[in-house]
Amino acid sequence: MSNALRIARGRFGRVALLDMDRPLVRHAHPHCHVLLKVEGADTQFSVRDRLVPLTDESAVLINAWEPHAYAHDQTRPKTVILALYIEPQWLGYFRPNWAASHAPDFFASNVGAITTDIRLRTRTLAEAMVKEPNSAEVHEVLLGELMIAIIERFADWRAGPNSVRELASRPLPDFRIRKAVERMKATPGEIADLDLLATNVGLSRAHFFRLFETSMGVTPRVFLNVQRLERAVTAVADGTESFATIGDQLGFSVPAHFSRFFHDHAGSSPSIFRNVIQMSAENFETPR
């Protein structure tokens, strides 16, 4: 069964060392997301319905809000994956342009040929997380060096930022979609019926689903699940509440359904996720 070997969290976002042998459902993240193979079998992800290889020679590069799934081949052995979920504000400490990592085209391609340097830095960070789970400062330095190498190679960050004039010319999402998004962000656990949400914001089901995906780049279900997952990760990692309580707060009336949701999206059971988080005495700090 897939599970987390180590997890690190901080203002940078999240870094997970995952031992994977089962698929993950179609989902998205509000982060710049990079997947690197550490060891085991070559594998693949489905990004916007295109299969992208994850191997010793290639990384998977996923932009914020880009739908993807882990397409594990059940006939193959496990793969240890270093998964980076990086906040744009943290990247901005290194170079101001890197704060644009939340853009939908920060990575021009979903697959990139890695260098020997990136492969070695990936292995070094993974080993440091395993051997020294409490060495937050060491991990922070290694993560920063790895992200610098990745962005320098795969992102067109030297292009100038969007002008205010260009940004102002882009249409805002329909006000009814904005209203739905606000509700999903504010109370994801209270939205049990997306058809009802569509009616509440004044749209038919078909029009709501079509307009939402056009405006936000993901389906309403994927967007709602992102809100649930991010809250679940925080509650599981930082809190002491039972998983049944956390699940109930997020709209899962059956504890097993919450556990399955968490495993299918985060690549680990909530119990192992919490145990691994607690191995670290402190989180990463923002670079000064």
Side-chain angles (χ1 to χ4, degrees):
M1 179 177 289
S2 298
N3 266 313
L5 301 177
R6 294 289 188 273
I7 301 285
R9 294 170 59 247
R11 294 183 186 179
F12 61 87
R14 188 163 73 246
V15 178
L17 187 63
L18 303 171
D19 196 10
M20 303 292 291
D21 69 347
R22 60 176 274 183
L24 297 181
V25 299
R26 185 175 174 86
H27 62 288
H29 304 284
H31 315 88
C32 164
H33 187 32
V34 179
L35 297 148
L36 298 150
K37 177 186 164 184
V38 177
E39 64 185 36
D42 289 347
T43 188
Q44 59 190 4
F45 281 75
S46 172
V47 185
R48 291 194 181 276
D49 301 319
R50 175 193 169 212
L51 288 178
V52 178
L54 179 65
T55 72
D56 292 324
E57 309 299 328
S58 63
V60 175
L61 311 164
I62 300 173
N63 291 304
W65 294 107
E66 194 162 29
H68 60 284
Y70 179 44
H72 179 73
D73 182 345
Q74 300 284 9
T75 65
R76 308 195 74 179
K78 285 186 174 184
T79 305
V80 177
I81 298 172
L82 189 69
L84 313 178
Y85 313 80
I86 306 300
E87 293 284 357
Q89 294 88 345
W90 185 76
L91 288 175
Y93 281 97
F94 295 94
R95 290 188 175 90
N97 277 16
W98 292 6
S101 65
H102 67 284
D105 56 355
F106 186 68
F107 294 124
S109 173
N110 292 126
V111 63
I114 63 173
T115 61
T116 300
D117 178 64
I118 291 175
R119 187 181 304 110
L120 290 174
R121 292 188 186 281
T122 299
R123 183 78 188 191
T124 300
L125 176 55
E127 289 185 352
M129 290 174 66
V130 170
K131 295 177 180 178
E132 305 173 80
N134 298 321
S135 298
E137 292 183 2
V138 172
H139 299 161
E140 179 189 328
V141 170
L142 295 175
L143 174 62
E145 291 174 347
L146 176 58
M147 284 306 302
I148 288 171
I150 289 169
I151 293 175
E152 290 279 4
R153 181 164 178 79
F154 298 123
D156 188 18
W157 63 272
R158 292 178 180 81
N162 294 319
S163 69
V164 172
R165 183 180 297 109
E166 181 184 350
L167 291 173
S169 68
R170 296 179 181 179
L172 290 172
D174 182 278
F175 75 95
R176 294 162 294 187
I177 298 302
R178 297 202 304 271
K179 183 177 179 181
V181 166
E182 289 169 2
R183 285 194 56 189
M184 289 180 181
K185 288 182 175 180
T187 56
E190 296 179 9
I191 300 173
D193 188 337
L194 289 171
D195 291 358
L196 180 59
L197 177 62
T199 300
N200 289 342
V201 299
L203 292 168
S204 69
R205 181 188 189 281
H207 193 190
F208 172 71
F209 274 71
R210 183 170 58 252
L211 190 58
F212 193 103
E213 187 164 7
T214 299
S215 301
M216 305 305 297
V218 294
T219 66
R221 175 59 61 188
V222 168
F223 189 91
L224 178 60
N225 283 342
V226 169
Q227 309 309 315
R228 286 174 167 167
L229 178 64
E230 292 306 312
R231 292 197 179 206
V233 164
T234 299
V236 168
D238 296 339
T240 57
E241 293 178 312
S242 70
F243 302 136
T245 299
I246 295 170
D248 185 63
Q249 292 170 350
L250 293 174
F252 298 91
S253 58
V254 179
H257 292 174
F258 169 69
S259 293
R260 186 179 306 114
F261 168 86
F262 195 94
H263 207 153
D264 286 347
H265 286 79
S268 173
S269 68
S271 59
I272 290 181
F273 192 96
R274 176 174 282 176
N275 289 340
V276 169
I277 283 284
Q278 291 173 349
M279 290 181 185
S280 299
E282 57 183 334
N283 289 323
F284 292 129
E285 296 178 354
T286 303
R288 294 177 174 84

